[in-house]
Amino acid sequence: MPNRQKLTYHTIFLGAPGSGKGTAASRLGAYLRIPHISTGDMLRESVASSTDLGTRVKAVMEQGLLVNDEIMRELVKDRLQRADCRKGFILDGFPRTIAQGKALDEILAESHKRLDFVFVMEIEENALVRRLSNRRICPQCGRVYNLIGLKPRQEGLCDDHPVALIQREDDREETIRKRMTVYRENTLPLIEYYRNRYLIVTVNSDATIDKTVEVVVNTVLERDSTLRKKEEEV
Ligand code: AMP
């Protein structure tokens, strides 16, 4: 029996706001039992608890702009050093600029790791605005709903807590358009940065979230099975 190499799942999701990357990332994390790390959620928590960081980033976030690369690098570096990331992680919302992509490569290289998967969520812009303006969040657990596609069982309430759902400050139409521009200018160039260097998988997320998650999970399973086969041939 060949010595089984440990499979790792260092994963990032790229995609415009509202492309479904958060939901897909969270489901993949639960499936693989590795942490789903949303930098947006981390920052929102800091704002909610008025930490130093929260106070510094609040205004930038409310305008739909990007938090400074150096702040983001430190935040992510600290998080990836925790023990629960040993088998991998699902990063959602980081990197968002070429500088952050380079920083992530450096952070991983320091512990002799590299990315295993880069998922790129593609969706048409009008569908995005429709999706985002209908997005609602549970302020207690962060669970995400959509008034069109992913409704709560009881109108306006989280399925897991009896708490009223809220709309994110930056999910209003004007801020959504601003966030799209920021995505096109800063984050889209990362797709070229990763092309040919990692397993880039483009996922059409116009489909239902279940279909999207199925594509993502199958990609991971196929990679695992290919690596296992190769190992057994040796
Ligand atoms: P998200 O929940 O991923 O849409 O992020 C919400 C907001 O948090 C963004 O509009 C940015 O203001 C900020 N943010 C989250 N991740 C990053 C990042 N990697 N770089 C810069 N700003 C970020």
Side-chain angles (χ1 to χ4, degrees), residues 17 21 38-41 43-44 60-61 64-67 72 92-96 100 135 168 170 179:
K21 65 181 178 353
S38 154
T39 48
D41 284 350
L43 294 170
R44 274 185 291 279
V60 170
M61 288 179 73
L65 300 174
L66 291 183
V67 172
M72 294 310 301
D92 158 19
F94 184 95
R96 255 177 158 100
Q100 292 180 13
R135 178 157 75 176
R168 266 170 55 173
D170 58 355
R179 289 162 66 206

mmCIF file with all atom_site columns, all heavy atoms in Angstrom, residues 17 21 38-41 43-44 60-61 64-67 72 92-96 100 135 168 170 179, ligand 1:
data_model
loop_
_atom_site.group_PDB
_atom_site.id
_atom_site.type_symbol
_atom_site.label_atom_id
_atom_site.label_alt_id
_atom_site.label_comp_id
_atom_site.label_asym_id
_atom_site.label_entity_id
_atom_site.label_seq_id
_atom_site.pdbx_PDB_ins_code
_atom_site.Cartn_x
_atom_site.Cartn_y
_atom_site.Cartn_z
_atom_site.occupancy
_atom_site.B_iso_or_equiv
_atom_site.pdbx_formal_charge
_atom_site.auth_seq_id
_atom_site.auth_comp_id
_atom_site.auth_asym_id
_atom_site.auth_atom_id
_atom_site.pdbx_PDB_model_num
ATOM   1   N N   . PRO A 1 17  ? -19.162 40.925 -6.037 1.00 0.00 ? 17  PRO A N   1
ATOM   2   C CA  . PRO A 1 17  ? -20.076 40.843 -4.900 1.00 0.00 ? 17  PRO A CA  1
ATOM   3   C C   . PRO A 1 17  ? -21.413 40.297 -5.401 1.00 0.00 ? 17  PRO A C   1
ATOM   4   O O   . PRO A 1 17  ? -21.891 40.724 -6.459 1.00 0.00 ? 17  PRO A O   1
ATOM   5   C CB  . PRO A 1 17  ? -20.229 42.298 -4.447 1.00 0.00 ? 17  PRO A CB  1
ATOM   6   C CG  . PRO A 1 17  ? -19.332 43.125 -5.293 1.00 0.00 ? 17  PRO A CG  1
ATOM   7   C CD  . PRO A 1 17  ? -18.649 42.264 -6.283 1.00 0.00 ? 17  PRO A CD  1
ATOM   8   N N   . LYS A 1 21  ? -20.317 33.603 -4.168 1.00 0.00 ? 21  LYS A N   1
ATOM   9   C CA  . LYS A 1 21  ? -19.083 32.978 -3.687 1.00 0.00 ? 21  LYS A CA  1
ATOM   10  C C   . LYS A 1 21  ? -19.146 32.684 -2.184 1.00 0.00 ? 21  LYS A C   1
ATOM   11  O O   . LYS A 1 21  ? -18.640 31.653 -1.745 1.00 0.00 ? 21  LYS A O   1
ATOM   12  C CB  . LYS A 1 21  ? -17.834 33.769 -4.074 1.00 0.00 ? 21  LYS A CB  1
ATOM   13  C CG  . LYS A 1 21  ? -17.718 35.139 -3.461 1.00 0.00 ? 21  LYS A CG  1
ATOM   14  C CD  . LYS A 1 21  ? -16.450 35.779 -3.981 1.00 0.00 ? 21  LYS A CD  1
ATOM   15  C CE  . LYS A 1 21  ? -16.196 37.181 -3.504 1.00 0.00 ? 21  LYS A CE  1
ATOM   16  N NZ  . LYS A 1 21  ? -17.168 37.924 -2.730 1.00 0.00 ? 21  LYS A NZ  1
ATOM   17  N N   . SER A 1 38  ? -14.260 34.404 5.706  1.00 0.00 ? 38  SER A N   1
ATOM   18  C CA  . SER A 1 38  ? -14.756 35.533 4.927  1.00 0.00 ? 38  SER A CA  1
ATOM   19  C C   . SER A 1 38  ? -14.152 36.808 5.516  1.00 0.00 ? 38  SER A C   1
ATOM   20  O O   . SER A 1 38  ? -14.438 37.158 6.670  1.00 0.00 ? 38  SER A O   1
ATOM   21  C CB  . SER A 1 38  ? -16.286 35.577 5.006  1.00 0.00 ? 38  SER A CB  1
ATOM   22  O OG  . SER A 1 38  ? -16.737 36.897 4.791  1.00 0.00 ? 38  SER A OG  1
ATOM   23  N N   . THR A 1 39  ? -13.319 37.490 4.733  1.00 0.00 ? 39  THR A N   1
ATOM   24  C CA  . THR A 1 39  ? -12.698 38.706 5.267  1.00 0.00 ? 39  THR A CA  1
ATOM   25  C C   . THR A 1 39  ? -13.763 39.786 5.501  1.00 0.00 ? 39  THR A C   1
ATOM   26  O O   . THR A 1 39  ? -13.654 40.570 6.439  1.00 0.00 ? 39  THR A O   1
ATOM   27  C CB  . THR A 1 39  ? -11.570 39.220 4.342  1.00 0.00 ? 39  THR A CB  1
ATOM   28  O OG1 . THR A 1 39  ? -12.043 39.240 2.998  1.00 0.00 ? 39  THR A OG1 1
ATOM   29  C CG2 . THR A 1 39  ? -10.346 38.357 4.458  1.00 0.00 ? 39  THR A CG2 1
ATOM   30  N N   . GLY A 1 40  ? -14.802 39.797 4.659  1.00 0.00 ? 40  GLY A N   1
ATOM   31  C CA  . GLY A 1 40  ? -15.897 40.757 4.862  1.00 0.00 ? 40  GLY A CA  1
ATOM   32  C C   . GLY A 1 40  ? -16.537 40.533 6.228  1.00 0.00 ? 40  GLY A C   1
ATOM   33  O O   . GLY A 1 40  ? -16.781 41.479 6.975  1.00 0.00 ? 40  GLY A O   1
ATOM   34  N N   . ASP A 1 41  ? -16.814 39.259 6.585  1.00 0.00 ? 41  ASP A N   1
ATOM   35  C CA  . ASP A 1 41  ? -17.421 38.952 7.890  1.00 0.00 ? 41  ASP A CA  1
ATOM   36  C C   . ASP A 1 41  ? -16.482 39.360 9.021  1.00 0.00 ? 41  ASP A C   1
ATOM   37  O O   . ASP A 1 41  ? -16.914 39.924 10.035 1.00 0.00 ? 41  ASP A O   1
ATOM   38  C CB  . ASP A 1 41  ? -17.707 37.443 8.028  1.00 0.00 ? 41  ASP A CB  1
ATOM   39  C CG  . ASP A 1 41  ? -18.934 37.010 7.225  1.00 0.00 ? 41  ASP A CG  1
ATOM   40  O OD1 . ASP A 1 41  ? -19.658 37.894 6.723  1.00 0.00 ? 41  ASP A OD1 1
ATOM   41  O OD2 . ASP A 1 41  ? -19.149 35.795 7.089  1.00 0.00 ? 41  ASP A OD2 1
ATOM   42  N N   . LEU A 1 43  ? -14.232 41.684 9.043  1.00 0.00 ? 43  LEU A N   1
ATOM   43  C CA  . LEU A 1 43  ? -14.214 43.148 9.172  1.00 0.00 ? 43  LEU A CA  1
ATOM   44  C C   . LEU A 1 43  ? -15.515 43.657 9.784  1.00 0.00 ? 43  LEU A C   1
ATOM   45  O O   . LEU A 1 43  ? -15.512 44.538 10.651 1.00 0.00 ? 43  LEU A O   1
ATOM   46  C CB  . LEU A 1 43  ? -13.970 43.803 7.811  1.00 0.00 ? 43  LEU A CB  1
ATOM   47  C CG  . LEU A 1 43  ? -12.592 43.550 7.179  1.00 0.00 ? 43  LEU A CG  1
ATOM   48  C CD1 . LEU A 1 43  ? -12.558 44.034 5.742  1.00 0.00 ? 43  LEU A CD1 1
ATOM   49  C CD2 . LEU A 1 43  ? -11.488 44.244 7.979  1.00 0.00 ? 43  LEU A CD2 1
ATOM   50  N N   . ARG A 1 44  ? -16.636 43.067 9.335  1.00 0.00 ? 44  ARG A N   1
ATOM   51  C CA  . ARG A 1 44  ? -17.935 43.512 9.886  1.00 0.00 ? 44  ARG A CA  1
ATOM   52  C C   . ARG A 1 44  ? -18.003 43.239 11.391 1.00 0.00 ? 44  ARG A C   1
ATOM   53  O O   . ARG A 1 44  ? -18.526 44.044 12.149 1.00 0.00 ? 44  ARG A O   1
ATOM   54  C CB  . ARG A 1 44  ? -19.102 42.819 9.162  1.00 0.00 ? 44  ARG A CB  1
ATOM   55  C CG  . ARG A 1 44  ? -19.523 43.544 7.876  1.00 0.00 ? 44  ARG A CG  1
ATOM   56  C CD  . ARG A 1 44  ? -20.752 42.925 7.234  1.00 0.00 ? 44  ARG A CD  1
ATOM   57  N NE  . ARG A 1 44  ? -20.462 41.615 6.690  1.00 0.00 ? 44  ARG A NE  1
ATOM   58  C CZ  . ARG A 1 44  ? -19.884 41.409 5.507  1.00 0.00 ? 44  ARG A CZ  1
ATOM   59  N NH1 . ARG A 1 44  ? -19.550 42.427 4.752  1.00 0.00 ? 44  ARG A NH1 1
ATOM   60  N NH2 . ARG A 1 44  ? -19.635 40.195 5.078  1.00 0.00 ? 44  ARG A NH2 1
ATOM   61  N N   . VAL A 1 60  ? -14.625 53.233 5.114  1.00 0.00 ? 60  VAL A N   1
ATOM   62  C CA  . VAL A 1 60  ? -14.213 52.671 3.815  1.00 0.00 ? 60  VAL A CA  1
ATOM   63  C C   . VAL A 1 60  ? -15.218 51.608 3.376  1.00 0.00 ? 60  VAL A C   1
ATOM   64  O O   . VAL A 1 60  ? -15.659 51.568 2.219  1.00 0.00 ? 60  VAL A O   1
ATOM   65  C CB  . VAL A 1 60  ? -12.801 52.042 3.958  1.00 0.00 ? 60  VAL A CB  1
ATOM   66  C CG1 . VAL A 1 60  ? -12.431 51.234 2.745  1.00 0.00 ? 60  VAL A CG1 1
ATOM   67  C CG2 . VAL A 1 60  ? -11.768 53.126 4.205  1.00 0.00 ? 60  VAL A CG2 1
ATOM   68  N N   . MET A 1 61  ? -15.606 50.745 4.315  1.00 0.00 ? 61  MET A N   1
ATOM   69  C CA  . MET A 1 61  ? -16.548 49.676 3.970  1.00 0.00 ? 61  MET A CA  1
ATOM   70  C C   . MET A 1 61  ? -17.902 50.239 3.573  1.00 0.00 ? 61  MET A C   1
ATOM   71  O O   . MET A 1 61  ? -18.522 49.776 2.624  1.00 0.00 ? 61  MET A O   1
ATOM   72  C CB  . MET A 1 61  ? -16.703 48.720 5.152  1.00 0.00 ? 61  MET A CB  1
ATOM   73  C CG  . MET A 1 61  ? -15.489 47.869 5.364  1.00 0.00 ? 61  MET A CG  1
ATOM   74  S SD  . MET A 1 61  ? -15.696 46.787 6.772  1.00 0.00 ? 61  MET A SD  1
ATOM   75  C CE  . MET A 1 61  ? -16.845 45.569 6.146  1.00 0.00 ? 61  MET A CE  1
ATOM   76  N N   . GLY A 1 64  ? -18.176 51.141 0.090  1.00 0.00 ? 64  GLY A N   1
ATOM   77  C CA  . GLY A 1 64  ? -17.953 50.083 -0.906 1.00 0.00 ? 64  GLY A CA  1
ATOM   78  C C   . GLY A 1 64  ? -16.534 50.089 -1.440 1.00 0.00 ? 64  GLY A C   1
ATOM   79  O O   . GLY A 1 64  ? -16.250 49.500 -2.482 1.00 0.00 ? 64  GLY A O   1
ATOM   80  N N   . LEU A 1 65  ? -15.619 50.742 -0.719 1.00 0.00 ? 65  LEU A N   1
ATOM   81  C CA  . LEU A 1 65  ? -14.216 50.798 -1.174 1.00 0.00 ? 65  LEU A CA  1
ATOM   82  C C   . LEU A 1 65  ? -13.405 49.698 -0.505 1.00 0.00 ? 65  LEU A C   1
ATOM   83  O O   . LEU A 1 65  ? -13.898 49.014 0.402  1.00 0.00 ? 65  LEU A O   1
ATOM   84  C CB  . LEU A 1 65  ? -13.619 52.168 -0.837 1.00 0.00 ? 65  LEU A CB  1
ATOM   85  C CG  . LEU A 1 65  ? -14.338 53.346 -1.492 1.00 0.00 ? 65  LEU A CG  1
ATOM   86  C CD1 . LEU A 1 65  ? -13.778 54.670 -0.978 1.00 0.00 ? 65  LEU A CD1 1
ATOM   87  C CD2 . LEU A 1 65  ? -14.209 53.276 -3.012 1.00 0.00 ? 65  LEU A CD2 1
ATOM   88  N N   . LEU A 1 66  ? -12.140 49.550 -0.910 1.00 0.00 ? 66  LEU A N   1
ATOM   89  C CA  . LEU A 1 66  ? -11.319 48.478 -0.361 1.00 0.00 ? 66  LEU A CA  1
ATOM   90  C C   . LEU A 1 66  ? -10.499 48.950 0.836  1.00 0.00 ? 66  LEU A C   1
ATOM   91  O O   . LEU A 1 66  ? -9.941  50.050 0.829  1.00 0.00 ? 66  LEU A O   1
ATOM   92  C CB  . LEU A 1 66  ? -10.355 47.936 -1.420 1.00 0.00 ? 66  LEU A CB  1
ATOM   93  C CG  . LEU A 1 66  ? -10.992 47.158 -2.568 1.00 0.00 ? 66  LEU A CG  1
ATOM   94  C CD1 . LEU A 1 66  ? -9.916  46.616 -3.497 1.00 0.00 ? 66  LEU A CD1 1
ATOM   95  C CD2 . LEU A 1 66  ? -11.867 46.023 -2.056 1.00 0.00 ? 66  LEU A CD2 1
ATOM   96  N N   . VAL A 1 67  ? -10.405 48.069 1.821  1.00 0.00 ? 67  VAL A N   1
ATOM   97  C CA  . VAL A 1 67  ? -9.539  48.318 2.982  1.00 0.00 ? 67  VAL A CA  1
ATOM   98  C C   . VAL A 1 67  ? -8.096  48.146 2.499  1.00 0.00 ? 67  VAL A C   1
ATOM   99  O O   . VAL A 1 67  ? -7.804  47.323 1.618  1.00 0.00 ? 67  VAL A O   1
ATOM   100 C CB  . VAL A 1 67  ? -9.889  47.312 4.107  1.00 0.00 ? 67  VAL A CB  1
ATOM   101 C CG1 . VAL A 1 67  ? -8.912  47.396 5.259  1.00 0.00 ? 67  VAL A CG1 1
ATOM   102 C CG2 . VAL A 1 67  ? -11.326 47.539 4.578  1.00 0.00 ? 67  VAL A CG2 1
ATOM   103 N N   . MET A 1 72  ? -5.149  44.181 5.440  1.00 0.00 ? 72  MET A N   1
ATOM   104 C CA  . MET A 1 72  ? -5.735  42.898 5.043  1.00 0.00 ? 72  MET A CA  1
ATOM   105 C C   . MET A 1 72  ? -4.711  41.784 5.153  1.00 0.00 ? 72  MET A C   1
ATOM   106 O O   . MET A 1 72  ? -5.015  40.678 5.574  1.00 0.00 ? 72  MET A O   1
ATOM   107 C CB  . MET A 1 72  ? -6.284  42.978 3.607  1.00 0.00 ? 72  MET A CB  1
ATOM   108 C CG  . MET A 1 72  ? -7.450  43.905 3.421  1.00 0.00 ? 72  MET A CG  1
ATOM   109 S SD  . MET A 1 72  ? -8.793  43.678 4.615  1.00 0.00 ? 72  MET A SD  1
ATOM   110 C CE  . MET A 1 72  ? -9.265  41.981 4.358  1.00 0.00 ? 72  MET A CE  1
ATOM   111 N N   . ASP A 1 92  ? -12.736 33.579 1.321  1.00 0.00 ? 92  ASP A N   1
ATOM   112 C CA  . ASP A 1 92  ? -13.844 34.192 0.581  1.00 0.00 ? 92  ASP A CA  1
ATOM   113 C C   . ASP A 1 92  ? -13.702 35.707 0.731  1.00 0.00 ? 92  ASP A C   1
ATOM   114 O O   . ASP A 1 92  ? -13.838 36.234 1.830  1.00 0.00 ? 92  ASP A O   1
ATOM   115 C CB  . ASP A 1 92  ? -15.138 33.634 1.196  1.00 0.00 ? 92  ASP A CB  1
ATOM   116 C CG  . ASP A 1 92  ? -16.363 34.484 0.958  1.00 0.00 ? 92  ASP A CG  1
ATOM   117 O OD1 . ASP A 1 92  ? -16.350 35.318 0.045  1.00 0.00 ? 92  ASP A OD1 1
ATOM   118 O OD2 . ASP A 1 92  ? -17.344 34.294 1.704  1.00 0.00 ? 92  ASP A OD2 1
ATOM   119 N N   . GLY A 1 93  ? -13.350 36.382 -0.375 1.00 0.00 ? 93  GLY A N   1
ATOM   120 C CA  . GLY A 1 93  ? -13.202 37.844 -0.304 1.00 0.00 ? 93  GLY A CA  1
ATOM   121 C C   . GLY A 1 93  ? -11.762 38.285 -0.170 1.00 0.00 ? 93  GLY A C   1
ATOM   122 O O   . GLY A 1 93  ? -11.485 39.478 -0.058 1.00 0.00 ? 93  GLY A O   1
ATOM   123 N N   . PHE A 1 94  ? -10.845 37.360 -0.174 1.00 0.00 ? 94  PHE A N   1
ATOM   124 C CA  . PHE A 1 94  ? -9.413  37.667 -0.156 1.00 0.00 ? 94  PHE A CA  1
ATOM   125 C C   . PHE A 1 94  ? -8.724  36.620 -1.012 1.00 0.00 ? 94  PHE A C   1
ATOM   126 O O   . PHE A 1 94  ? -9.013  35.438 -0.834 1.00 0.00 ? 94  PHE A O   1
ATOM   127 C CB  . PHE A 1 94  ? -8.850  37.615 1.264  1.00 0.00 ? 94  PHE A CB  1
ATOM   128 C CG  . PHE A 1 94  ? -7.391  38.013 1.363  1.00 0.00 ? 94  PHE A CG  1
ATOM   129 C CD1 . PHE A 1 94  ? -7.025  39.312 1.686  1.00 0.00 ? 94  PHE A CD1 1
ATOM   130 C CD2 . PHE A 1 94  ? -6.384  37.081 1.104  1.00 0.00 ? 94  PHE A CD2 1
ATOM   131 C CE1 . PHE A 1 94  ? -5.680  39.679 1.769  1.00 0.00 ? 94  PHE A CE1 1
ATOM   132 C CE2 . PHE A 1 94  ? -5.045  37.450 1.178  1.00 0.00 ? 94  PHE A CE2 1
ATOM   133 C CZ  . PHE A 1 94  ? -4.698  38.746 1.508  1.00 0.00 ? 94  PHE A CZ  1
ATOM   134 N N   . PRO A 1 95  ? -7.818  36.971 -1.902 1.00 0.00 ? 95  PRO A N   1
ATOM   135 C CA  . PRO A 1 95  ? -7.352  38.311 -2.206 1.00 0.00 ? 95  PRO A CA  1
ATOM   136 C C   . PRO A 1 95  ? -8.323  39.075 -3.108 1.00 0.00 ? 95  PRO A C   1
ATOM   137 O O   . PRO A 1 95  ? -9.114  38.481 -3.829 1.00 0.00 ? 95  PRO A O   1
ATOM   138 C CB  . PRO A 1 95  ? -6.044  38.045 -2.961 1.00 0.00 ? 95  PRO A CB  1
ATOM   139 C CG  . PRO A 1 95  ? -6.237  36.707 -3.615 1.00 0.00 ? 95  PRO A CG  1
ATOM   140 C CD  . PRO A 1 95  ? -7.109  35.923 -2.678 1.00 0.00 ? 95  PRO A CD  1
ATOM   141 N N   . ARG A 1 96  ? -8.185  40.397 -3.068 1.00 0.00 ? 96  ARG A N   1
ATOM   142 C CA  . ARG A 1 96  ? -9.031  41.255 -3.887 1.00 0.00 ? 96  ARG A CA  1
ATOM   143 C C   . ARG A 1 96  ? -8.188  42.182 -4.764 1.00 0.00 ? 96  ARG A C   1
ATOM   144 O O   . ARG A 1 96  ? -8.743  42.942 -5.556 1.00 0.00 ? 96  ARG A O   1
ATOM   145 C CB  . ARG A 1 96  ? -9.912  42.102 -2.986 1.00 0.00 ? 96  ARG A CB  1
ATOM   146 C CG  . ARG A 1 96  ? -11.369 41.653 -2.919 1.00 0.00 ? 96  ARG A CG  1
ATOM   147 C CD  . ARG A 1 96  ? -12.028 42.566 -1.938 1.00 0.00 ? 96  ARG A CD  1
ATOM   148 N NE  . ARG A 1 96  ? -13.443 42.679 -2.050 1.00 0.00 ? 96  ARG A NE  1
ATOM   149 C CZ  . ARG A 1 96  ? -14.318 42.026 -1.274 1.00 0.00 ? 96  ARG A CZ  1
ATOM   150 N NH1 . ARG A 1 96  ? -13.905 41.144 -0.412 1.00 0.00 ? 96  ARG A NH1 1
ATOM   151 N NH2 . ARG A 1 96  ? -15.607 42.274 -1.386 1.00 0.00 ? 96  ARG A NH2 1
ATOM   152 N N   . GLN A 1 100 ? -2.549  41.782 -2.796 1.00 0.00 ? 100 GLN A N   1
ATOM   153 C CA  . GLN A 1 100 ? -3.015  40.781 -1.823 1.00 0.00 ? 100 GLN A CA  1
ATOM   154 C C   . GLN A 1 100 ? -2.735  39.365 -2.326 1.00 0.00 ? 100 GLN A C   1
ATOM   155 O O   . GLN A 1 100 ? -2.429  38.463 -1.541 1.00 0.00 ? 100 GLN A O   1
ATOM   156 C CB  . GLN A 1 100 ? -4.515  40.945 -1.556 1.00 0.00 ? 100 GLN A CB  1
ATOM   157 C CG  . GLN A 1 100 ? -4.866  42.226 -0.818 1.00 0.00 ? 100 GLN A CG  1
ATOM   158 C CD  . GLN A 1 100 ? -6.362  42.376 -0.557 1.00 0.00 ? 100 GLN A CD  1
ATOM   159 O OE1 . GLN A 1 100 ? -7.141  41.436 -0.696 1.00 0.00 ? 100 GLN A OE1 1
ATOM   160 N NE2 . GLN A 1 100 ? -6.776  43.570 -0.176 1.00 0.00 ? 100 GLN A NE2 1
ATOM   161 N N   . ARG A 1 135 ? -30.675 40.603 -1.049 1.00 0.00 ? 135 ARG A N   1
ATOM   162 C CA  . ARG A 1 135 ? -29.975 39.806 -0.042 1.00 0.00 ? 135 ARG A CA  1
ATOM   163 C C   . ARG A 1 135 ? -30.339 40.276 1.368  1.00 0.00 ? 135 ARG A C   1
ATOM   164 O O   . ARG A 1 135 ? -30.426 41.454 1.635  1.00 0.00 ? 135 ARG A O   1
ATOM   165 C CB  . ARG A 1 135 ? -28.468 39.957 -0.269 1.00 0.00 ? 135 ARG A CB  1
ATOM   166 C CG  . ARG A 1 135 ? -27.634 39.216 0.746  1.00 0.00 ? 135 ARG A CG  1
ATOM   167 C CD  . ARG A 1 135 ? -26.268 38.909 0.227  1.00 0.00 ? 135 ARG A CD  1
ATOM   168 N NE  . ARG A 1 135 ? -25.400 40.087 0.196  1.00 0.00 ? 135 ARG A NE  1
ATOM   169 C CZ  . ARG A 1 135 ? -24.120 40.026 -0.168 1.00 0.00 ? 135 ARG A CZ  1
ATOM   170 N NH1 . ARG A 1 135 ? -23.588 38.878 -0.551 1.00 0.00 ? 135 ARG A NH1 1
ATOM   171 N NH2 . ARG A 1 135 ? -23.380 41.116 -0.175 1.00 0.00 ? 135 ARG A NH2 1
ATOM   172 N N   . ARG A 1 168 ? -27.645 44.539 4.443  1.00 0.00 ? 168 ARG A N   1
ATOM   173 C CA  . ARG A 1 168 ? -26.342 45.159 4.683  1.00 0.00 ? 168 ARG A CA  1
ATOM   174 C C   . ARG A 1 168 ? -26.330 46.592 4.183  1.00 0.00 ? 168 ARG A C   1
ATOM   175 O O   . ARG A 1 168 ? -26.874 46.882 3.122  1.00 0.00 ? 168 ARG A O   1
ATOM   176 C CB  . ARG A 1 168 ? -25.261 44.352 3.942  1.00 0.00 ? 168 ARG A CB  1
ATOM   177 C CG  . ARG A 1 168 ? -24.611 43.317 4.799  1.00 0.00 ? 168 ARG A CG  1
ATOM   178 C CD  . ARG A 1 168 ? -23.754 42.395 4.008  1.00 0.00 ? 168 ARG A CD  1
ATOM   179 N NE  . ARG A 1 168 ? -22.740 43.071 3.197  1.00 0.00 ? 168 ARG A NE  1
ATOM   180 C CZ  . ARG A 1 168 ? -21.783 42.413 2.532  1.00 0.00 ? 168 ARG A CZ  1
ATOM   181 N NH1 . ARG A 1 168 ? -21.714 41.106 2.602  1.00 0.00 ? 168 ARG A NH1 1
ATOM   182 N NH2 . ARG A 1 168 ? -20.910 43.070 1.807  1.00 0.00 ? 168 ARG A NH2 1
ATOM   183 N N   . ASP A 1 170 ? -24.071 48.170 2.696  1.00 0.00 ? 170 ASP A N   1
ATOM   184 C CA  . ASP A 1 170 ? -23.475 48.315 1.364  1.00 0.00 ? 170 ASP A CA  1
ATOM   185 C C   . ASP A 1 170 ? -24.213 47.517 0.292  1.00 0.00 ? 170 ASP A C   1
ATOM   186 O O   . ASP A 1 170 ? -23.743 47.382 -0.818 1.00 0.00 ? 170 ASP A O   1
ATOM   187 C CB  . ASP A 1 170 ? -21.973 47.965 1.398  1.00 0.00 ? 170 ASP A CB  1
ATOM   188 C CG  . ASP A 1 170 ? -21.684 46.559 1.893  1.00 0.00 ? 170 ASP A CG  1
ATOM   189 O OD1 . ASP A 1 170 ? -22.630 45.874 2.315  1.00 0.00 ? 170 ASP A OD1 1
ATOM   190 O OD2 . ASP A 1 170 ? -20.513 46.153 1.836  1.00 0.00 ? 170 ASP A OD2 1
ATOM   191 N N   . ARG A 1 179 ? -19.215 49.001 -5.820 1.00 0.00 ? 179 ARG A N   1
ATOM   192 C CA  . ARG A 1 179 ? -18.456 47.779 -5.523 1.00 0.00 ? 179 ARG A CA  1
ATOM   193 C C   . ARG A 1 179 ? -18.136 46.999 -6.800 1.00 0.00 ? 179 ARG A C   1
ATOM   194 O O   . ARG A 1 179 ? -17.096 46.361 -6.908 1.00 0.00 ? 179 ARG A O   1
ATOM   195 C CB  . ARG A 1 179 ? -19.233 46.912 -4.520 1.00 0.00 ? 179 ARG A CB  1
ATOM   196 C CG  . ARG A 1 179 ? -19.247 47.537 -3.130 1.00 0.00 ? 179 ARG A CG  1
ATOM   197 C CD  . ARG A 1 179 ? -20.339 46.972 -2.249 1.00 0.00 ? 179 ARG A CD  1
ATOM   198 N NE  . ARG A 1 179 ? -20.134 45.574 -1.927 1.00 0.00 ? 179 ARG A NE  1
ATOM   199 C CZ  . ARG A 1 179 ? -21.116 44.733 -1.617 1.00 0.00 ? 179 ARG A CZ  1
ATOM   200 N NH1 . ARG A 1 179 ? -22.364 45.133 -1.601 1.00 0.00 ? 179 ARG A NH1 1
ATOM   201 N NH2 . ARG A 1 179 ? -20.837 43.500 -1.309 1.00 0.00 ? 179 ARG A NH2 1
HETATM 202 P P1  . AMP B 2 .   ? -17.598 41.331 1.321  1.00 0.00 ? 1   AMP B P1  1
HETATM 203 O O1  . AMP B 2 .   ? -18.465 40.853 2.439  1.00 0.00 ? 1   AMP B O1  1
HETATM 204 O O2  . AMP B 2 .   ? -16.576 40.308 0.902  1.00 0.00 ? 1   AMP B O2  1
HETATM 205 O O3  . AMP B 2 .   ? -18.400 41.851 0.146  1.00 0.00 ? 1   AMP B O3  1
HETATM 206 O O4  . AMP B 2 .   ? -16.744 42.566 1.886  1.00 0.00 ? 1   AMP B O4  1
HETATM 207 C C1  . AMP B 2 .   ? -17.395 43.740 2.386  1.00 0.00 ? 1   AMP B C1  1
HETATM 208 C C2  . AMP B 2 .   ? -16.413 44.888 2.397  1.00 0.00 ? 1   AMP B C2  1
HETATM 209 O O5  . AMP B 2 .   ? -15.309 44.585 3.257  1.00 0.00 ? 1   AMP B O5  1
HETATM 210 C C3  . AMP B 2 .   ? -15.772 45.219 1.052  1.00 0.00 ? 1   AMP B C3  1
HETATM 211 O O6  . AMP B 2 .   ? -16.609 46.034 0.247  1.00 0.00 ? 1   AMP B O6  1
HETATM 212 C C4  . AMP B 2 .   ? -14.505 45.937 1.517  1.00 0.00 ? 1   AMP B C4  1
HETATM 213 O O7  . AMP B 2 .   ? -14.799 47.239 1.975  1.00 0.00 ? 1   AMP B O7  1
HETATM 214 C C5  . AMP B 2 .   ? -14.095 45.114 2.731  1.00 0.00 ? 1   AMP B C5  1
HETATM 215 N N1  . AMP B 2 .   ? -13.211 43.983 2.360  1.00 0.00 ? 1   AMP B N1  1
HETATM 216 C C6  . AMP B 2 .   ? -13.461 42.653 2.504  1.00 0.00 ? 1   AMP B C6  1
HETATM 217 N N2  . AMP B 2 .   ? -12.440 41.913 2.071  1.00 0.00 ? 1   AMP B N2  1
HETATM 218 C C7  . AMP B 2 .   ? -11.502 42.790 1.637  1.00 0.00 ? 1   AMP B C7  1
HETATM 219 C C8  . AMP B 2 .   ? -10.216 42.646 1.045  1.00 0.00 ? 1   AMP B C8  1
HETATM 220 N N3  . AMP B 2 .   ? -9.692  41.444 0.798  1.00 0.00 ? 1   AMP B N3  1
HETATM 221 N N4  . AMP B 2 .   ? -9.528  43.778 0.714  1.00 0.00 ? 1   AMP B N4  1
HETATM 222 C C9  . AMP B 2 .   ? -10.049 44.991 0.955  1.00 0.00 ? 1   AMP B C9  1
HETATM 223 N N5  . AMP B 2 .   ? -11.256 45.197 1.480  1.00 0.00 ? 1   AMP B N5  1
HETATM 224 C C10 . AMP B 2 .   ? -11.999 44.109 1.826  1.00 0.00 ? 1   AMP B C10 1
#
